[in-house]
Amino acid sequence: MSGSVGIVTTEYAEFDTELQLESGRLLGPIRLAYETYGALNADRSNVILVTHAWTGDAHAAGRYAPEDRKPGWWDDMIGPGKVLDTERYFVICSNVIGSCKGSTGPASTNPRTGRPYNLSFPVVMVRDMVRAQKMLLERLGIDSLVTVIGGSMGAMQALEWGILYPDAVRSIIPIAGTGRTSPMAIALNAVARQAIFNDPLWKKGNYKPEHPPADGFALARAMGHISFLSDASMHLKFGRRFSARDGLFDFFGQYEVERYLEYNGGNFVGRFDTNSFLYLAKSLDLYDVAWNFDSLEEALGLLRCPSLWFAFTSDWLYPPNQTEEVVAVLESLGKPVEYRLIDSDYGHDSFLVEPDKFTPYVVEFLDRLAG
Amino acid sequence: MSGSVGIVTTEYAEFDTELQLESGRLLGPIRLAYETYGALNADRSNVILVTHAWTGDAHAAGRYAPEDRKPGWWDDMIGPGKVLDTERYFVICSNVIGSCKGSTGPASTNPRTGRPYNLSFPVVMVRDMVRAQKMLLERLGIDSLVTVIGGSMGAMQALEWGILYPDAVRSIIPIAGTGRTSPMAIALNAVARQAIFNDPLWKKGNYKPEHPPADGFALARAMGHISFLSDASMHLKFGRRFSARDGLFDFFGQYEVERYLEYNGGNFVGRFDTNSFLYLAKSLDLYDVAWNFDSLEEALGLLRCPSLWFAFTSDWLYPPNQTEEVVAVLESLGKPVEYRLIDSDYGHDSFLVEPDKFTPYVVEFLDRLAG
């Protein structure tokens, strides 16, 4: 790892067109937030698209201001001399429709009513997010990507790019993803959802932004948080330590892991829109690469580029066998596919916590593709 | 498997004494619900104690009335000719203090105030539950047990019996247990707890029994429910099937797994007391066999009888490695210990769903002990 991309700015692309969604509904106008790092080369052939997870955003690297405490969410990966080397690549990170991080989502103004969409926002699929991103890349004059790389929901976007736009992608790198969301993952989203529905402040989505359903939303986030971790990572971080401030036999006494989840859930409320969280959870639930195809084979048959897949041993949200299912089909179809199972204790979050464990394979893969 | 124990009745033992709890607090008078199946032999040497899980009860076998739709929770295991053969053994299933199923718990009347304990009920540990059960067995004139057998929280009770009363148990059979509750399990209980705390009807435990915090409690149960299942069992039961009544792109549309969790959570509200659920969750969180000992070795060193342990491959709540940790220490101490890892897709609930997979080992173990 090496330098930072420095000070960055989020940019916004506005599209007056309406996008026909998988549901049949139309969404427009559309705004997408994105950031870019590095420089586009003369033949526009050095572009990498980074796709983010559920509550992620376009701010993948650098800082908005020197005093920012934290850089972008994948700053370990993106910068001069880093894995996604900005001295070589022009890296774009695009937010998704449905999000609240600068793109059109349920908190945006519905042009037909002049009021926020809230629950009148249409349900979007990951495929819809990728179609909107394609509009962005066309706007930027880019018709070919070195790779699309992302973890979790970002992995889903990478795969959708590969099958929707096989002429536009020269490779994809899905990390900690799945070919279709499992009933276990849906169940976890279901209880998170219900925690919000149970909060009277949610008001069927019609809360005021300054009065979100904080208790329900914090709880929903805490539930999600558990699924991103692992038994092993919690042992490492908290063990069975009891909060020093509480009595072990107090009814309201808390273990450290409990206090941590509560604190982080509460913290999250100010950083994300509740309805957006719900809509993106729905997008995750609906994810199935075989959607609108006859079979997984037919869908994956459209992928033409090499793909590099990573799964993590301790990931129980999208466990390795789900990536392996997709990889096996790709292999049976004779596609150029590579798979690495990474030994990590950090559960689903491993792609954020321990990039060093898989990045050497990314570098080698990209170098090999470049020939 | 063979016959049924037939029509049964729950019995109640009342104790005027006060029990000193691990917390230092006193609890009394104490009432314990229990059931018995089979007949006590002349030298009182044929007794098996069955211990139940979190929301279980004393009704382990038979029916209260011929028209009962369901028999007791472990009816597959208990009866004439069954694994715990009531033609041979006198089987006792005891409820626990803290429960709402006929024993002294938070919904019981506090003799000092004449009102329900609610949150003035003391936090109890599994060890306290076992001490109360010992009082019950003394009352029944039983000073020696063929075995103590139970799953989940029942496994914890079995182990506590072994180390607290080594002279009273001739074997123990802990199933799907753990030596100490992991931070992951605590985290899952924490979010379930918070779902109840978030419900305004909970009123810090002072709800009226006829107006429980139904939404929060149903959600808490749904969360627990997820942890009792597995990805594989949900695939078998629900896959990614969407509710036939809902539209796939409806914001409130549900997958079958989601509908199932909601239905079962709602159903549970009428069958269990919310505060009791919370207190028992606390007991589970606090569980650590090494509590008040210097080490796991010191605690397990007190166990003198043979023990037979079962874990299930798909159990992610108390995964096999947690049982294996205990078994390894017992082996290192030279204790007579046997361990079977059972291949089952049904997660933590396997001990209820697929008893056939482990019962042959139980029969063989008990026969061998009987010599």
Side-chain angles (χ1 to χ4, degrees), chain B residues 1 22 67 92 132 142 148 159 217 221 235 278 354 365:
Chain B
M1 294 198 196
E22 287 292 323
E67 62 272 21
I92 303 174
I142 293 159
V148 185
L159 179 54
F217 191 29
R221 175 61 173 184
H235 265 295
L278 291 168
E354 295 200 313
F365 178 77

Side-chain angles (χ1 to χ4, degrees), chain A residues 22-25 119 121-125 128 180-200 202 204 215-216 219 222-223 226 229-231 234-235 238-240 242 247-255 257-258 261-262 275 278-279 282 284-288 291 316 319 321-322, chain B residues 22-25 119 121-125 128 180-200 202 204 215-216 219 222-223 226 229-231 234-235 238-240 242 247-255 257-258 261-262 275 278-279 282 284-288 291 316 319 321-322:
Chain A
E22 287 293 322
S23 65
R25 288 182 64 181
L119 296 203
F121 193 76
V123 167
V124 298
M125 293 189 82
D128 299 316
R180 48 186 180 146
T181 302
S182 70
M184 169 68 90
I186 293 169
L188 292 164
N189 282 346
V191 290
R193 195 158 27 239
Q194 196 62 49
I196 294 168
F197 294 172
N198 279 1
D199 191 324
W202 183 58
K204 291 234 166 183
D215 291 347
L219 175 56
M223 291 175 193
I226 292 173
L229 304 177
S230 75
D231 196 31
M234 290 194 215
H235 265 296
F238 310 106
R240 283 182 46 83
F242 207 76
L248 189 64
F249 293 103
D250 287 351
F251 181 83
F252 291 103
Q254 291 184 316
Y255 282 89
V257 65
E258 184 165 6
L261 288 170
E262 186 176 288
N275 287 339
L278 290 168
Y279 271 89
K282 195 87 188 168
L284 291 168
D285 288 352
L286 291 175
Y287 186 65
D288 182 351
W291 163 255
W316 61 279
N321 66 309
Q322 295 182 15
Chain B
E22 287 292 323
S23 65
R25 288 181 65 181
L119 297 203
F121 194 76
V123 167
V124 299
M125 293 190 82
D128 299 316
R180 50 187 179 148
T181 302
S182 70
M184 169 68 91
I186 293 170
L188 292 163
N189 283 347
V191 289
R193 192 155 33 235
Q194 196 62 50
I196 294 168
F197 294 172
N198 279 1
D199 191 324
W202 182 58
K204 290 234 165 180
D215 291 346
L219 175 56
M223 291 177 194
I226 292 174
L229 304 177
S230 74
D231 196 31
M234 291 194 213
H235 265 295
F238 310 106
R240 284 182 47 83
F242 207 75
L248 189 65
F249 293 104
D250 286 352
F251 181 82
F252 290 103
Q254 291 185 316
Y255 282 89
V257 64
E258 184 165 5
L261 288 171
E262 186 176 290
N275 286 339
L278 291 168
Y279 271 90
K282 195 84 189 170
L284 291 168
D285 288 352
L286 291 175
Y287 186 66
D288 182 351
W291 164 254
W316 62 278
N321 67 306
Q322 295 182 15

Side-chain angles (χ1 to χ4, degrees), chain A residues 306-327:
Chain A
S307 58
L308 171 61
W309 301 76
F310 294 103
F312 300 94
T313 49
S314 59
D315 184 350
W316 61 279
L317 182 61
Y318 301 155
N321 66 309
Q322 295 182 15
T323 290
E324 288 158 13
E325 182 191 22
V326 176
V327 168

Side-chain angles (χ1 to χ4, degrees), chain A residues 20 42 48 58 66 84 97 101-102 105 113 124 129 146 160 181-182 201 227 234 246 248 295 305-306 315 333:
Chain A
Q20 171 142 15
I48 286 178
L84 307 183
I97 54 172
K101 293 294 190 180
T113 64
V124 298
M129 298 173 188
V146 173
E160 292 293 314
T181 302
S182 70
L201 292 183
S227 70
M234 290 194 215
D246 296 350
L248 189 64
S295 64
C305 65
D315 184 350
L333 294 169

Side-chain angles (χ1 to χ4, degrees), chain B residues 19 89 121 360:
Chain B
L19 182 66
Y89 300 113
F121 194 76

Side-chain angles (χ1 to χ4, degrees), chain B residues 59-169:
Chain B
H59 186 41
R63 285 172 162 79
Y64 292 133
E67 62 272 21
D68 282 1
R69 198 170 56 86
K70 280 187 175 178
W73 57 271
W74 231 6
D75 195 74
D76 282 347
M77 295 277 290
I78 304 164
K82 292 183 180 174
V83 183
L84 307 183
D85 186 352
T86 49
E87 289 178 334
R88 182 172 173 188
Y89 300 113
F90 181 58
V91 179
I92 303 174
C93 181
S94 164
N95 191 212
V96 296
I97 53 171
S99 175
C100 55
K101 294 293 190 182
S103 302
T104 302
S108 304
T109 300
N110 182 344
R112 286 168 194 76
T113 64
R115 295 198 308 274
Y117 280 104
N118 296 341
L119 297 203
S120 71
F121 194 76
V123 167
V124 299
M125 293 190 82
V126 173
R127 196 164 290 173
D128 299 316
M129 299 173 188
V130 166
R131 288 211 176 93
Q133 285 168 349
K134 185 64 163 59
M135 288 160 56
L136 170 64
L137 291 221
E138 284 171 8
R139 170 75 56 88
L140 298 175
I142 293 159
D143 57 17
S144 176
L145 296 167
V146 173
T147 200
V148 185
I149 181 171
S152 194
M153 192 179 81
M156 298 171 182
Q157 293 166 68
L159 179 54
E160 292 293 315
W161 264 97
I163 66 162
L164 283 185
Y165 305 113
D167 293 334
V169 292

